[in-house]
Amino acid sequence: MRTFSIVWVGAFVLAILVGCSANPYSKTNRDHKKQAREFARELKAFPQQHLDDTLINYGPYPVGTTNFSLRKPNYVILHHTAQNSVEHTLNTFTLPRTSVSSHYVIGKDGDIYQMLNDYYRGWHAGAGKWGNNTDLNSSSIGIELDNNGFEPFAELQMESLLELLKVLKERHSIPTANFIGHSDIAPSRKVDPNPTFPWGRLAEEGFGYWYDEIEANPKVVGDSIVPSEAIREIEIAGNEIHQGGSASDSIHLTIDPKLALRVIGYDVSDLDAAIKAFKLHFIQKDINSELTDEDLKILYNLYLKYL
Ligand SMILES: [Zn+2]
């Protein structure tokens, strides 16, 4: 009898251990499903009239349209985790008190953990602005890359990221321009992903824009006259002019960095922070609030792509 119960206890413990090793997050997965069921109930609520809507002059009966679908994310925002392991991040994103999450987390080994359905609102962007969009959490998918904040991004991680971006871009028809970094939307608060992040490589694959190699492949065209106190002049050599012009010609362009940054999408209410964020993404060295002539050429080249 005693042997019998020991065997049963042993089997029970083994079952728990196997269950745990299969998925250490089975408990939080159950909590996740419970929350999702509550949101599904909210989505089904129709008509959505509440007692506090008494000032709204609704018609005499609700009319549900037959033509609709789910809202889609339109941006992808990339982050580094600034933590020391992917396990650490998965744990952080399953603790209610942290109030942070992202849709995907990618380990250095290339493993992709999906933590949230693309259609839900993750908590990764926080306060920020891009163009006139001030609720990026509602319109974006967040991807966190396991990285301590300073190191280069692992090759397997980059390969997995590119595969994932391809799927997301197709699935949700996300525009090329809308693959951006956390620092882009929150210039005064965030510095991720770190300056080693290969934005140029992403742009080659159709995720975000990158500037043309100005010396080798001139694309700077025309001139831009912007009335503002902040105008800066740049001189473009003749061989950098796209149309006409001989090698000896040069053209003066006027560029308002504030306007150009705003056209790209940056929040320029703190111009120094916006310039730093721009340099973190596109220059990736000497990340300060000074724009050199070379930086201005790159800014001009990019802003034409976003126009
Ligand atoms: Zn971030």
Side-chain angles (χ1 to χ4, degrees):
M1 185 65 193
R2 191 164 169 212
T3 317
F4 181 74
S5 52
I6 287 171
V7 167
W8 271 107
V9 168
F12 182 66
V13 169
L14 189 69
I16 290 176
L17 288 175
V18 168
C20 286
S21 66
N23 188 342
Y25 291 96
S26 44
K27 184 192 173 303
T28 48
N29 280 352
R30 280 197 298 277
D31 295 344
H32 179 107
K33 279 189 183 151
K34 196 172 152 212
Q35 265 175 269
R37 271 196 300 275
E38 280 166 26
F39 287 126
R41 252 198 302 277
E42 212 169 304
L43 281 177
K44 280 188 205 161
F46 179 84
Q48 231 181 335
Q49 295 167 14
H50 300 289
L51 287 175
D52 55 359
D53 286 351
T54 48
L55 289 177
I56 296 177
N57 185 26
Y58 287 114
Y61 43 80
V63 186
T65 178
T66 51
N67 314 323
F68 64 109
S69 56
L70 290 171
R71 291 172 193 260
K72 292 193 296 183
N74 202 231
Y75 295 84
V76 170
I77 297 179
L78 299 171
H79 305 256
H80 66 216
T81 58
Q83 293 188 324
N84 287 322
S85 70
V86 76
E87 289 76 20
H88 189 181
T89 303
L90 297 176
N91 188 47
T92 302
F93 289 175
T94 47
L95 296 173
R97 64 180 152 79
T98 65
S99 296
V100 285
S101 63
S102 71
H103 296 80
Y104 299 91
V105 178
I106 308 182
K108 292 187 172 78
D109 59 2
D111 280 352
I112 300 174
Y113 296 88
Q114 181 168 15
M115 301 196 74
L116 196 59
N117 185 308
D118 295 349
Y119 293 103
Y120 280 120
R121 183 176 185 271
W123 295 348
H124 60 96
K129 188 176 173 192
W130 189 248
N132 287 327
N133 187 336
T134 53
D135 183 8
L136 272 304
N137 273 335
S138 284
S139 52
S140 70
I141 290 172
I143 302 177
E144 289 273 0
L145 300 164
D146 178 34
N147 181 289
N148 67 10
F150 305 98
E151 62 197 333
F153 293 83
E155 180 54 28
L156 287 173
Q157 186 176 43
M158 288 310 303
E159 285 169 16
S160 287
L161 172 65
L162 288 167
E163 291 294 324
L164 177 60
L165 294 180
K166 188 165 180 281
V167 168
L168 295 176
K169 187 177 182 182
E170 279 174 20
R171 185 186 290 163
H172 303 300
S173 308
I174 298 173
T176 299
N178 291 0
F179 293 78
I180 51 180
H182 200 187
S183 55
D184 294 317
I185 64 144
S188 53
R189 293 193 306 117
K190 294 291 173 181
V191 290
D192 63 311
N194 80 47
T196 70
F197 188 74
W199 286 110
R201 180 173 168 190
L202 259 69
E204 271 172 32
E205 305 278 338
F207 312 116
Y209 285 135
W210 197 246
Y211 57 90
D212 302 297
E213 291 303 331
I214 290 170
E215 301 301 334
N217 181 22
K219 283 279 171 61
V220 177
V221 289
D223 63 354
S224 143
I225 297 164
V226 185
S228 158
E229 305 153 5
I231 283 175
R232 292 270 304 265
E233 286 203 357
I234 51 176
E235 194 163 323
I236 305 288
N239 60 6
E240 292 172 343
I241 300 168
H242 187 55
Q243 291 171 331
S246 67
S248 58
D249 291 340
S250 67
I251 185 169
H252 279 280
L253 297 179
T254 49
I255 178 166
D256 177 347
K258 190 173 183 179
L259 188 68
L261 288 165
R262 182 71 178 83
V263 165
I264 292 172
Y266 287 99
D267 175 3
V268 291
S269 57
D270 178 345
L271 184 58
D272 284 353
I275 291 171
K276 273 188 205 161
F278 167 77
K279 291 186 78 166
L280 173 59
H281 186 135
F282 293 104
I283 310 295
Q284 305 197 303
K285 63 178 167 61
D286 304 326
I287 298 157
N288 53 38
S289 53
E290 298 296 317
L291 287 168
T292 66
D293 285 353
E294 198 56 32
D295 298 342
L296 284 166
K297 284 187 192 180
I298 289 169
L299 174 58
Y300 184 77
N301 182 265
L302 278 164
Y303 126 95
L304 293 179
K305 294 176 193 282
Y306 283 83
L307 270 177

